[in-house]
Amino acid sequence: MSNELISKKDLLDLAGISYGQLYRWKRKNLIPEEWFVRKSTFTGQETFFPKDKVLERIDKIQSMKETLSLDELAERFSPSVKTETKITKDELLQRNIVSKAVLDLYLNENGNIEQFRFDELLEVFILDKLLTSGDISLDEGKMLLQVLKEARGSLSKSKYELLFIRKLGVTSCLLLSGAESIMVDQRSKVTVRLSVTSCVEELKTNL
Amino acid sequence: MQSGIKGNLTINGYGSSNGGHFEKVKLNGRGTLNGNIECVRFECNGSGTVHGHLKMQNAKISGSGKVKGAVEGNDFAIEGNGSVSDSVSLTNKMKISGSGKIGGSLKADEIKINGKVTIANDCEAETFKADGQFTIGGLLSADQIDIRLHGESSVTEMGGQSIKVKGKKGRFYHLFKAFFPVKLTVKLIEGDDLELESTKADVVRGNNVTIGPDCEIDLVEYQGTLHQDDNAKVREIKKI
């Protein structure tokens, strides 16, 4: 992801929105506070935004605001989760949120679950995502579940990133919070880098 | 010291209590509450202090009240002298008549200020109406900002849809202008429709901008229309 910044003025121009809208969205937490980057320029302090992220978000808001209220949108974008979300095993399959094979694997590891809470859902969802894309192997999937289990409860509260590093065929799975960039030695390879926050967002859209 | 039916907490005279959950909390006289309070209705007449967070539906401070924590609820009214050490976040209305001090940020649907207010951080609302004096350390953001100035006010940044700032009218005030400067000092104002009077700003940005009398502005950037009063000083104008 590029770290290019866009000034507030250019952003409004490019997205075709007004100051009023931008501030309203900010108030409703549709655009997270940390995306407002303050920088000093020759005319004084100006606000900049991470270009890709903010444009994508504005695009989403604009396409969804016809059908959803701003509060509903805020709920969808917020990393925190309604804890009462529950969904049954069958519903998961019917609605094509995860595949049968992955669900079986998950249930094998965790025992039978009829009603999925959100954090459990998130775990299956991430597992499904990585397994079906072929990024990780079955054994690595088990490792992933272990790591996710450790962080259960706090996973959707903080901004986590999931990392798989492989060296000489041995894999490590890491969960990072708040790391902008990481360095690994030459022989190690980062095979997967996944933002948990965007997974939460994606899962919410699917529910 | 402490009386009332089950679920209510009333302190008449001089007294203190611990926090907890109540239906109604009423402090008459000099009351101190040590701990967090959660209640439906909170009322403070006289001099009251809450050493903790206050969570309620409806609160009113008449007289002098202090909350040494954050306030969360629907409606909050300060009549007299009220201070909150942390942030205030309300789902409905904040009304300050008298003097208010907020050590964090203030969030509400509607904010109405008559009197004097200091807010350390941001102030966010759908409508913000002020008829008085205020100091806001962060961003004042609201759809409708309606300000009538008395004395000197300052905000770091203002943003919203429609922003109106009115100075004091009348010959009487012109006479005493030197003694009582009526001015709003702000670094940046951004909005769609702006009408400003008696404002000193570094940058003003908007679609339709009206710069009224007594304004001192370094840079105005506008897209639609610009009206400028003869009595306004603007150093630079840019049409985008």
Side-chain angles (χ1 to χ4, degrees):
Chain A
M1 204 180 287
S2 82
N3 291 322
E4 204 184 328
L5 293 176
I6 182 170
S7 76
K8 195 195 278 174
K9 219 192 310 173
D10 294 340
L11 174 71
L12 296 183
D13 230 28
L14 207 62
I17 57 173
S18 69
Y19 286 110
Q21 261 171 320
L22 181 71
Y23 283 110
R24 192 177 310 133
W25 292 348
K26 176 184 191 286
R27 279 201 300 283
K28 294 283 183 196
N29 291 326
L30 293 182
I31 301 172
E33 186 77 45
E34 64 262 24
W35 290 5
F36 288 71
V37 183
R38 316 274 298 149
K39 278 196 155 190
S40 45
T41 59
F42 63 95
T43 50
Q45 282 253 319
E46 293 272 351
T47 307
F48 290 83
F49 299 86
K51 190 174 175 180
D52 296 347
K53 282 189 198 166
V54 79
L55 283 176
E56 190 197 325
R57 177 59 61 89
I58 285 177
D59 202 48
K60 266 193 204 162
I61 296 170
Q62 280 174 330
S63 63
M64 292 202 284
K65 76 173 178 192
E66 302 294 321
T67 48
L68 293 168
S69 75
L70 286 186
D71 289 324
E72 283 169 319
L73 275 176
E75 154 69 22
R76 179 155 301 181
F77 291 137
S78 90
S80 63
V81 177
K82 274 194 192 153
T83 38
E84 62 262 33
T85 321
K86 273 195 178 140
I87 195 161
T88 63
K89 193 164 69 173
D90 300 327
E91 256 182 293
L92 266 183
L93 294 173
Q94 264 166 25
R95 286 161 65 179
N96 240 336
I97 297 170
V98 293
S99 61
K100 176 109 176 53
V102 173
L103 187 64
D104 285 344
L105 175 74
Y106 184 79
L107 293 177
N108 248 331
E109 290 291 308
N110 279 286
N112 202 11
I113 301 168
E114 283 301 329
Q115 292 263 328
F116 278 77
R117 285 176 297 129
F118 191 88
D119 46 356
E120 291 164 335
L121 265 176
L122 185 64
E123 288 173 23
V124 203
F125 184 71
I126 294 174
L127 180 68
D128 184 69
K129 207 177 165 70
L130 292 177
L131 271 179
T132 45
S133 67
D135 284 332
I136 58 171
S137 70
L138 222 56
D139 279 339
E140 287 169 343
K142 282 178 189 162
M143 193 157 73
L144 166 73
L145 283 181
Q146 209 119 66
V147 174
L148 290 178
K149 214 170 170 179
E150 300 265 314
R152 190 177 268 185
S154 66
L155 205 57
S156 50
K157 288 191 186 76
S158 178
K159 291 187 189 327
Y160 278 111
E161 247 186 310
L162 193 69
L163 224 59
F164 273 91
I165 297 171
R166 204 172 286 159
K167 182 176 186 178
L168 301 170
V170 183
T171 313
S172 318
C173 175
L174 308 168
L175 209 52
L176 306 173
S177 93
E180 269 299 305
S181 64
I182 53 151
M183 297 284 170
V184 291
D185 68 286
Q186 255 182 5
R187 286 206 211 155
S188 299
K189 191 175 176 321
V190 178
T191 49
V192 175
R193 186 161 189 181
L194 185 73
S195 153
V196 177
T197 319
S198 61
C199 283
V200 171
E201 224 175 80
E202 204 182 322
L203 180 57
K204 272 195 209 162
T205 326
N206 284 347
L207 287 181
Chain B
M1 248 200 204
Q2 186 182 325
S3 70
I5 352 156
K6 192 185 165 198
N8 289 354
L9 171 67
T10 312
I11 296 178
N12 291 315
Y14 192 92
S16 70
S17 164
N18 289 331
H21 294 244
F22 304 97
E23 173 79 18
K24 241 187 198 175
V25 175
K26 218 168 172 181
L27 307 178
N28 299 316
R30 196 178 178 89
T32 310
L33 300 178
N34 297 311
N36 298 340
I37 301 283
E38 242 187 279
C39 61
V40 178
R41 193 163 164 67
F42 178 88
E43 213 177 288
C44 170
N45 305 304
S47 159
T49 311
V50 177
H51 289 278
H53 301 307
L54 170 62
K55 202 172 174 185
M56 79 297 158
Q57 279 179 19
N58 210 309
K60 192 165 151 184
I61 293 177
S62 332
S64 162
K66 273 185 198 150
V67 179
K68 304 266 182 193
V71 175
E72 207 180 303
N74 293 344
D75 290 276
F76 189 19
I78 295 177
E79 296 169 0
N81 204 331
S83 83
V84 178
S85 311
D86 208 329
S87 296
V88 177
S89 119
L90 306 169
T91 50
N92 199 17
K93 199 168 169 180
M94 172 92 210
K95 204 174 162 190
I96 300 173
S97 15
S99 159
K101 198 170 179 183
I102 292 164
S105 60
L106 169 60
K107 266 186 197 178
D109 205 54
E110 196 184 331
I111 297 172
K112 218 171 168 183
I113 293 169
N114 296 304
K116 194 176 169 182
V117 184
T118 309
I119 300 166
N121 292 336
D122 294 353
C123 176
E124 301 186 348
E126 295 310 301
T127 54
F128 177 90
K129 274 188 186 161
D131 198 339
Q133 222 175 331
F134 55 89
T135 308
I136 298 172
L139 166 76
L140 166 60
S141 148
D143 262 14
Q144 309 283 335
I145 297 179
D146 226 317
I147 294 167
R148 183 170 274 275
L149 294 168
H150 295 253
E152 283 182 277
S153 292
S154 76
V155 193
T156 308
E157 260 184 60
M158 282 207 298
Q161 199 171 52
S162 134
I163 299 175
K164 276 183 198 162
V165 181
K166 285 210 174 298
K168 258 283 171 192
K169 286 268 160 63
R171 292 233 305 281
F172 180 75
Y173 259 85
H174 275 283
L175 215 61
F176 289 98
K177 221 172 86 183
F179 301 105
F180 303 108
V182 175
K183 186 124 279 185
L184 172 69
T185 313
V186 50
K187 283 210 170 87
L188 171 71
I189 302 178
E190 284 178 332
D192 299 327
D193 299 301
L194 308 174
E195 274 177 54
L196 308 174
E197 282 177 21
S198 306
T199 302
K200 187 177 185 306
D202 292 353
V203 182
V204 172
R205 256 186 221 126
N207 291 340
N208 302 312
V209 182
T210 306
I211 308 286
D214 290 330
C215 282
E216 275 176 65
I217 289 151
D218 283 349
L219 171 67
V220 177
E221 288 183 10
Y222 71 105
Q223 271 177 317
T225 57
L226 174 71
H227 296 284
Q228 193 188 333
D229 192 88
D230 299 337
N231 248 327
K233 282 180 217 153
V234 178
R235 200 184 297 161
E236 200 185 340
I237 297 172
K238 265 192 210 162
K239 185 172 163 72
I240 325 167

